[in-house]
Amino acid sequence: MSSGEAESPEYDTSVAHIARVYDYWLGGKDNYAADRAVAEQVMQAYPDIVYSVRANRAFLARVARYLVGEVGIRQFLDIGTGIPTADNTHEVAQSVAPECRVVYVDNDPIVLSHARALLASDPAGVTDYIDADLRDPEQILAGAARVLDFSRPVAVMLMAILQHVGDEDDPYQVVSTLMGAVPPGSYLALSHPAKDIDAEAMAKMADSLNKMMAEKVTFRDRPAVARFFGGLELVEPGMVQASKWRPANDAEAASPAALWGGVARKP
Ligand SMILES: C[S@@+](CC[C@H](N)C(=O)[O-])C[C@H]1O[C@@H](n2cnc3c(N)ncnc32)[C@H](O)[C@@H]1O
């Protein structure tokens, strides 16, 4: 496994990849010239992107804390993990309940090269990493069953990933397969870049990303994102702009965030 350092990387650095572009927006160091060029171009089109990605990470942390602390969830399937940064799902979850079990999934080799950081579990819990594609949910479920007990509630986390599954790959069926495999009392938590918040800037952003990046994006509007929660019970405050979902303070609530976010329970 690579240490993820710049010498002799085992992945193509000449084409921008979203995990590394996103890392740049978050202020990380695991990105290359091609990634930075895309990231900077998007910052021109949508200057608030840096606040928006931070608001997404803050949403992820609030959701994990809520699910462990208020709902009692102890198992997570976090798909589209990204390059490890501050407050990864297992760190937040295990800070509340050390016995939490977290399975991470991503299909980008650079994320795989950093998996060691994600595997530093609290000894009372477990973390695991699966190199797999969201478009193959059966493979993910089979791998996750090594660590997660599917007879007990699981929180499926799909944070800022479904925009990489185009309509031709039926993202609704993918989510329905995942939620079909977990028992009642499980949760779906997701965030999704919005087509209808800061619409003009977001359209320019999608255009830049689709011209320059390996993974294509489909931003979706409120009804299209709400459809992912079909058959599930949204918890308060429902599906909202990610920064408005149970914000810890006024500053968090006021952050620009061109993402829809929500958490729902499987009845
Ligand atoms: C924008 S980042 C979001 C990271 C993290 N979930 C967050 O919200 O901070 C999207 C991540 O999804 C991964 N990804 C994109 N398409 C994927 C797919 N089809 N299967 C698995 N992972 C995918 C990318 O490699 C990247 O790490």
Side-chain angles (χ1 to χ4, degrees), residues 12-251:
D12 182 4
T13 59
S14 68
V15 180
H17 277 263
I18 189 60
R20 302 187 308 233
V21 172
Y22 188 79
D23 173 74
Y24 180 77
W25 287 329
L26 283 175
K29 292 194 286 287
D30 298 293
N31 47 74
Y32 297 85
D35 308 309
R36 293 191 284 273
V38 174
E40 292 284 347
Q41 185 164 325
V42 168
M43 287 159 76
Q44 301 274 325
Y46 180 50
D48 280 342
I49 183 64
V50 167
Y51 298 108
S52 196
V53 296
R54 274 156 216 215
N56 182 53
R57 290 298 304 181
F59 171 69
L60 183 157
R62 291 198 302 278
V63 166
R65 212 168 281 122
Y66 163 79
L67 288 171
V68 179
E70 295 189 38
V71 175
I73 290 286
R74 295 291 180 268
Q75 307 193 93
F76 288 85
L77 180 55
D78 179 340
I79 309 174
T81 308
I83 294 170
T85 174
D87 285 345
N88 300 299
T89 300
H90 75 285
E91 291 161 343
V92 177
Q94 293 182 345
S95 74
V96 183
E99 69 273 25
C100 284
R101 304 169 83 82
V102 179
V103 174
Y104 290 110
V105 181
D106 205 289
N107 68 348
D108 192 316
I110 196 172
V111 180
L112 173 64
S113 80
H114 285 272
R116 204 178 303 136
L118 299 168
L119 299 177
S121 174
D122 188 290
V126 180
T127 58
D128 196 7
Y129 182 87
I130 303 175
D131 179 21
D133 196 301
L134 175 58
R135 288 166 291 192
D136 188 354
E138 283 86 4
Q139 187 199 345
I140 291 175
L141 291 165
R146 290 197 308 260
V147 163
L148 304 180
D149 173 357
F150 281 99
S151 69
R152 303 180 58 205
V154 175
V156 177
M157 309 268 274
L158 295 170
M159 298 297 185
I161 179 175
L162 283 164
Q163 73 276 14
H164 297 298
V165 183
D167 292 341
E168 67 285 3
D169 286 319
D170 201 349
Y172 299 102
Q173 183 54 48
V174 167
V175 172
S176 155
T177 301
L178 292 170
M179 293 313 293
V182 294
S186 293
Y187 281 75
L188 171 66
L190 69 81
S191 62
H192 195 302
K195 198 178 178 177
D196 48 355
I197 301 175
D198 286 327
E200 207 176 309
M202 289 300 277
K204 280 196 208 155
M205 172 170 164
D207 206 43
S208 294
L209 291 172
N210 285 333
K211 279 195 187 116
M212 297 174 76
M213 227 178 40
E215 305 94 340
K216 302 302 169 207
V217 296
T218 304
F219 294 165
R220 297 188 169 91
D221 63 14
R222 196 175 204 293
V225 181
R227 243 185 95 190
F228 288 114
F229 293 107
L232 307 173
E233 297 163 347
L234 278 160
V235 305
E236 284 298 315
M239 195 190 83
V240 292
Q241 190 179 10
S243 49
K244 306 282 189 294
W245 194 89
R246 299 176 184 241
N249 50 51
D250 292 347

